[in-house]
């Protein structure tokens, strides 16, 4: 997760009147590199639709299109007490969620635990031990019991594991690859459920893993729980992704299960991997550097152009290039802090875009405090424009994935539940994305947008609990498709 500063007043428009000619030429070149017009948006979206289809096929494609074994939406009347575990990028979150009898309502208690950086690149066993320890602390504190073994029954748990995983069952998941800066050896290609369950068993924790989910799938389910017009769930944060409900008959790679063709199944797209072959994505030389210097070159091509983890790095690379090779930006100054990879995150760009002062005094102060650089007013204007260009490109490209799902499913009107730090906190991201959707889908002007991207419910917490509840409900009904271990669920 990217930490953003508090929202401030709407930004003012900068003036280029006092920008020297050489800087103006660089700004025009940056505009050429980072601007995506309507025709390109449509081209990207059309290819996106084909890649979504390919991902559902037996052969597969770059976009995994993982079946989640979440077989339908909640009806709003699910009840019970559930645990939810959210393992994302920055924090580990543990929740206790109570679903009362009132339709679409929930109560939540939660605690956050910092995910140490050394764990992200450390040992597999240490990771699961740490997670089990946090879970034990939470249960002991909130249940006020001295001996966990004496608890009457096991608490059903929905585990939000927000990394690409292949699932033959809802209560298991084989990690395809680490993302979001994680690189723990010995886990890729393995089922993470038994690794997690072994750590629980070691501590004799009264917990039953009922569902392993992705945060995006959770976002879809939680948002539909409170708003039944929701048909797509999206994440625009450290990474990017979407989930939607497909018909089993439209998923050739699960045809051997012989499920009813009209039975719904949630698909976790994992579309950060869209166009890894770079057929249509308009990459700049800076995007190429971000990819080549990443732990996984050639993977997550789409994500590296729009996700919060990479926006600050793109901004930094451009500034270093302008200093070294182009117009002598920050001439005569020590830019050693700026040369440090990933020293800037998306919140830096957010701050620059939101500077409300005509002289960009807050941006100037930011450069002094964070980078020990004193920027002239024209240099600040260039930095402001660059932040706008990178932020706008991310928002416009993000709309292509949503539009592709709408076109594939022939969705004319729906709500999209979106979550993530970039969507929620990056200035103008929502408005820029909405404008791109209008351009892609050719909506008439002056009317309300038929596809409305709005703030999602808590997918990784409430969504995980709901999916655990839906799984238990299916077990009780005898619908066991995609459930491996029903012991202890009812």
């Amino acid at each position: 997760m990217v930490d953003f500063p508090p929202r401030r007043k709407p930004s003012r428009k900068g003036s280029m009147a006092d920008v020297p000619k050489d800087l103006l030429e660089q700004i025009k070149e940056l505009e050429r590199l980072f601007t995506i017009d309507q025709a390109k948006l449509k081209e990207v979206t059309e290819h996106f639709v084909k890649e979504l289809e390919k991902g559902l096929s037996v052969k597969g494609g770059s976009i995994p299109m993982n079946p989640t074994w979440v077989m339908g939406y909640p009806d709003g009347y699910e009840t019970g007490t559930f645990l939810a575990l959210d393992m994302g990028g920055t924090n580990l979150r543990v929740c206790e969620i109570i679903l009362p009898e009132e339709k679409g309502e929930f109560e939540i208690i939660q605690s956050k635990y910092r995910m140490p950086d050394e764990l992200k690149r450390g040992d597999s066993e240490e990771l699961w031990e740490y997670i089990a320890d946090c879970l034990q602390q939470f249960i002991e504190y909130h249940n006020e019991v001295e001996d966990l073994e004496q608890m009457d029954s096991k608490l059903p748990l929905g585990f939000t594991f927000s990394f690409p995983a292949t699932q033959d069952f809802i209560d298991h998941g084989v990690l395809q690859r680490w993302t979001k800066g994680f690189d723990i050896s010995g886990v890729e290609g393995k089922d993470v459920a038994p690794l997690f369950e072994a750590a629980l068993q070691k501590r004799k924790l009264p917990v039953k893993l009922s569902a392993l989910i992705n945060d995006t799938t959770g976002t879809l389910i939680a948002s539909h729980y409170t708003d039944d017009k929701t048909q797509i769930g999206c994440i625009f944060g450290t990474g990017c992704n979407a989930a939607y409900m497909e018909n089993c008959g439209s998923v050739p790679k699960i045809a051997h299960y012989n499920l009813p063709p009209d039975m719904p199944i949630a698909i976790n797209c994992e579309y950060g991997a869209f166009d890894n072959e770079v057929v249509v994505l308009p990459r700049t030389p800076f995007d190429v550097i971000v990819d080549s210097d990443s732990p996984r070159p050639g993977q997550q091509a789409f994500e590296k152009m729009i996700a919060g983890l990479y926006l600050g790095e793109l901004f930094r690379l451009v500034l270093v290039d302008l200093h070294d090779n182009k117009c002598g930006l920050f001439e005569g100054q020590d830019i050693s802090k700026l040369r440090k990879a990933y020293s800037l995150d998306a919140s830096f760009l957010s701050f620059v875009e939101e500077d409300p002062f005509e002289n960009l005094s807050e941006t100037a102060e930011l450069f002094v405090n964070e980078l020990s650089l004193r920027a002239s007013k024209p240099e600040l204007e260039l930095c402001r424009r660059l932040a706008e260009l990178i932020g706008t490109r991310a928002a416009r490209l993000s709309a292509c994935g949503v539009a592709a799902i709408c076109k594939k499913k022939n969705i004319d009107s729906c709500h999209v539940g979106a979550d993530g730090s970039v969507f929620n906190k990056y200035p103008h991201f929502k408005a820029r994305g909405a404008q791109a959707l209008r351009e892609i889908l050719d909506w008439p002007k002056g009317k309300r947008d038929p596809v409305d991207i709005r703030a999602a419910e808590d997918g990784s917490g409430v969504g995980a609990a709901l999916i655990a509840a839906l799984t238990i409900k299916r077990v009780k009904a005898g619908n066991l498709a995609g459930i491996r271990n029903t012991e202890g669920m009812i």
Side-chain angles (χ1 to χ4, degrees), residues 1 52 90 98 102 121 210 212 217 220 223 433 470 472 484 489:
M1 177 180 164
L52 294 176
T90 309
I98 299 171
E102 293 82 9
R121 295 170 181 80
S210 301
L212 185 77
T217 311
L220 169 67
S223 297
L470 287 170
I472 292 168
R484 178 174 59 179
M489 282 203 190

Side-chain angles (χ1 to χ4, degrees), residues 358-395:
E358 190 69 31
N359 64 357
L360 294 172
S361 58
E362 290 193 354
T363 304
E365 191 176 322
L366 181 69
F367 271 81
V368 170
N369 293 340
E370 298 293 326
L371 299 169
S372 302
L373 292 173
R374 298 192 178 278
S376 66
K377 175 65 166 31
E379 288 174 336
L380 292 171
E381 291 289 357
L382 180 147
C383 292
R384 167 62 166 253
R385 184 66 183 126
L386 176 60
E388 289 174 348
L389 287 167
I390 291 172
T392 300
R393 186 187 74 162

Side-chain angles (χ1 to χ4, degrees), residues 38-77:
Q38 182 182 27
K40 189 63 180 178
L41 286 175
K42 289 188 172 186
E43 181 189 2
V44 170
T45 301
E46 289 304 317
H47 189 60
F48 220 129
V49 174
K50 294 174 186 173
E51 291 297 298
L52 294 176
E53 293 279 8
K54 190 187 293 184
L56 293 173
S57 69
V58 175
K59 186 178 179 181
S62 289
I63 305 179
M65 300 297 281
N66 295 325
T68 65
W69 304 103
V70 178
M71 317 297 282
Y73 290 117
D75 59 16
Y77 293 106

Side-chain angles (χ1 to χ4, degrees), residues 236-250:
F236 304 116
T238 310
C240 71
N241 195 13
Y244 72 101
M245 203 64 74
E246 189 56 90
N247 298 320
C248 288
S250 299

Side-chain angles (χ1 to χ4, degrees), residues 139-294:
I139 296 170
E140 288 176 342
Y141 181 80
H142 291 289
N143 287 273
E144 297 179 352
V145 290
E146 292 186 9
D147 187 355
L148 293 179
E149 292 184 61
Q150 293 181 356
M151 288 183 66
D152 293 337
S153 60
K154 288 191 173 184
L155 293 163
L157 178 136
F159 183 7
T160 301
F161 184 72
S162 301
F163 303 91
T166 306
Q167 291 186 269
D168 292 326
F169 306 94
I170 197 166
D171 50 346
H172 106 136
V174 175
L175 176 67
Q176 293 169 322
R177 63 187 174 279
W178 287 114
T179 56
K180 302 177 187 176
F182 280 73
D183 193 15
I184 300 168
S185 62
V187 185
E188 290 184 342
K190 290 187 178 178
D191 184 355
V192 299
L195 299 174
F196 172 59
E197 288 170 326
L200 297 180
Q201 185 60 39
K202 189 175 179 180
R203 294 169 182 267
K204 296 184 168 61
L205 296 183
V207 173
K208 167 63 180 175
L209 176 62
S210 301
L212 185 77
I213 74 156
N214 182 276
D215 56 349
T216 319
T217 311
T219 296
L220 169 67
I221 297 302
S223 297
H224 188 91
Y225 180 69
T226 57
D227 172 13
D228 60 14
K229 292 182 181 176
T230 303
Q231 293 189 50
I232 301 171
C234 290
I235 301 289
F236 304 116
T238 310
C240 71
N241 195 13
Y244 72 101
M245 203 64 74
E246 189 56 90
N247 298 320
C248 288
S250 299
V251 189
K253 63 184 173 184
I254 63 168
H256 58 286
Y257 287 94
N258 297 314
L259 298 169
D262 58 348
M263 178 181 281
I265 183 168
I267 298 295
N268 166 31
C269 299
E270 291 294 351
Y271 68 24
F274 165 65
D275 202 23
N276 284 342
E277 306 82 3
V278 197
V279 175
V280 295
L281 284 176
R283 291 207 305 181
T284 69
F286 307 104
D287 295 300
V288 174
I289 294 170
V290 165
D291 180 49
S292 62
D293 290 351
S294 72

Side-chain angles (χ1 to χ4, degrees), residues 309-375:
L309 182 61
Y310 306 102
L311 300 185
E313 181 65 0
L314 282 167
F315 183 80
R316 186 193 71 81
L317 286 168
V318 174
L319 295 186
V320 170
D321 182 63
L322 290 173
H323 172 86
D324 290 349
N325 305 316
K326 301 291 194 325
C327 58
L329 196 73
F330 313 128
E331 193 170 5
Q333 298 188 62
D334 177 9
I335 71 160
S336 55
K337 287 186 177 179
L338 187 62
R339 290 193 189 279
K340 184 181 176 184
Y342 290 92
S343 54
L344 307 181
D345 63 18
S347 65
F348 193 98
L349 277 71
S350 172
F351 197 99
V352 171
E353 278 218 54
E354 289 203 302
D355 189 339
F357 297 106
E358 190 69 31
N359 64 357
L360 294 172
S361 58
E362 290 193 354
T363 304
E365 191 176 322
L366 181 69
F367 271 81
V368 170
N369 293 340
E370 298 293 326
L371 299 169
S372 302
L373 292 173
R374 298 192 178 278

